[in-house]
Amino acid sequence: MSRADVAAWRARLPAAFGSAPRTRLLRGLGAALFLLWLSWALAQFGFTPRRLWNGLEGLATILRLMVPPSPGAQWAEILQGLAESIAMAFLGTCVAALVAVPLGFLGAGNVVTAWALRFSVRRLFDGFRGIDQLIWALAYVRAVGLGPLAGVLAIATADIAVLAKLYAEAIESIEPRQVEGVTAAGGGWAERLRFGVLPQVLPVMLSQALYFFESNTRSAAILGVVGAGGIGLQISERIRVRAWDEVAFIILLMVVIVATIDWLSARLRKRLIGG
């Protein structure tokens, strides 16, 4: 290929031969502005190399105190807290998944054709998703008192909107020919949902609920810190008295439990979705 051919192709497809000088200049300015903003943000949060080094030294001291992990003398209390955390995650996820199913149908555009209703339901999902589980836990501890009930309600309330949105998106992506077949056979609105829509999305719904159960098992440990039951309260108490060896033992138990639930959930999800 001659230089004339290269020049002709450069004139036809300039983007294939590199960015224009103006584009490179704008990118450089954008990168410089981003670095300036990042430096300003770090300065606002008090980020300094000395402070970071002191924090790493403190973290290293805590890690040294965690070795070797020890259960202490309260085996029964630790096991009860772990059982409460798992039960909170399971019950909260079950309640959220059951409530989210009808809400997911209400938020699906191919099921509810009324734009105003669907828009209102979707915006309700957005509002609830903007509030974290920990905020709900603080509110429910004040409303129903200390204990695992507040944790179950916090997990359920925080997950309902998220699962409902995921369910609505799954319903909107179904194969319409199955619904058309039910309609052609004389099925009504309820029959179309029961035999045309639900069989397609049920494995996805169960798979997502299993994943949320796995995630909520970890979250339940944090909710106990604010008095919502579970193992979190015991972790908080041991951190307060600097019993780091017992904290390490509880963390290791949580890792084993979460890994086991993750393994079981993965196997169930694969069976449900046919993987």
Side-chain angles (χ1 to χ4, degrees):
M1 182 178 290
S2 64
R3 292 188 176 183
D5 293 333
V6 173
W9 280 108
R10 186 188 295 274
R12 291 180 60 185
L13 301 170
F17 291 85
S19 303
R22 183 170 180 269
T23 303
R24 291 197 296 268
L25 177 61
L26 291 176
R27 288 176 180 173
L29 289 175
L33 289 174
F34 173 76
L35 290 176
L36 287 174
W37 173 83
L38 183 62
S39 301
W40 174 82
L42 291 175
Q44 293 297 313
F45 285 103
F47 178 86
T48 60
R50 179 179 179 83
R51 187 175 181 184
L52 181 62
W53 179 255
N54 291 336
L56 292 175
E57 285 185 343
L59 180 60
T61 301
I62 291 174
L63 293 176
R64 284 197 298 270
L65 294 174
M66 285 183 169
V67 180
S70 171
Q74 299 177 334
W75 261 101
E77 183 180 348
I78 291 175
L79 293 178
Q80 180 182 357
L82 288 171
E84 277 189 1
S85 294
I86 297 171
M88 285 165 50
F90 181 77
L91 292 175
T93 306
C94 284
V95 172
L98 291 174
V99 177
V101 171
L103 292 178
F105 280 100
L106 287 176
N110 55 348
V111 175
V112 177
T113 56
W115 179 85
L117 175 60
R118 188 174 68 255
F119 179 82
S120 302
V121 172
R122 286 296 187 100
R123 299 295 74 78
L124 182 66
F125 295 166
D126 295 340
F128 273 80
R129 288 203 313 275
I131 305 176
D132 190 71
Q133 283 183 355
L134 197 59
I135 305 300
W136 288 114
L138 289 169
Y140 281 122
V141 164
R142 188 64 180 254
V144 302
L146 300 171
L149 176 59
V152 172
L153 294 175
I155 290 173
T157 307
D159 285 355
I160 284 173
V162 183
L163 283 172
K165 181 179 184 295
L166 293 174
Y167 290 174
E169 292 176 350
I171 293 169
E172 288 178 341
S173 62
I174 63 171
E175 172 56 54
R177 285 179 294 183
Q178 187 168 333
V179 181
E180 293 171 359
V182 176
T183 304
W189 183 79
E191 287 77 15
R192 289 197 297 269
L193 295 183
R194 169 63 183 84
F195 298 104
V197 178
L198 194 58
Q200 297 188 60
V201 298
L202 187 58
V204 179
M205 290 179 173
L206 292 176
S207 175
Q208 290 169 344
L210 285 172
Y211 174 77
F212 270 72
F213 168 54
E214 167 200 329
S215 177
N216 287 331
T217 305
R218 297 187 294 267
S219 302
I222 304 300
L223 299 181
V225 176
V226 297
I231 196 65
L233 180 60
Q234 299 181 34
I235 295 176
S236 177
E237 290 175 349
R238 284 161 175 79
I239 291 176
R240 193 176 298 113
V241 299
R242 300 182 184 277
W244 295 110
D245 54 340
E246 298 183 22
V247 172
F249 182 80
I250 295 174
I251 291 174
L252 288 176
L253 284 181
M254 285 295 301
V255 169
V256 172
I257 290 173
V258 170
T260 303
I261 293 175
D262 176 49
W263 180 75
L264 292 173
S265 298
R267 290 181 63 87
L268 286 172
R269 283 199 299 271
K270 286 181 181 179
R271 289 182 63 87
L272 289 171
I273 64 178

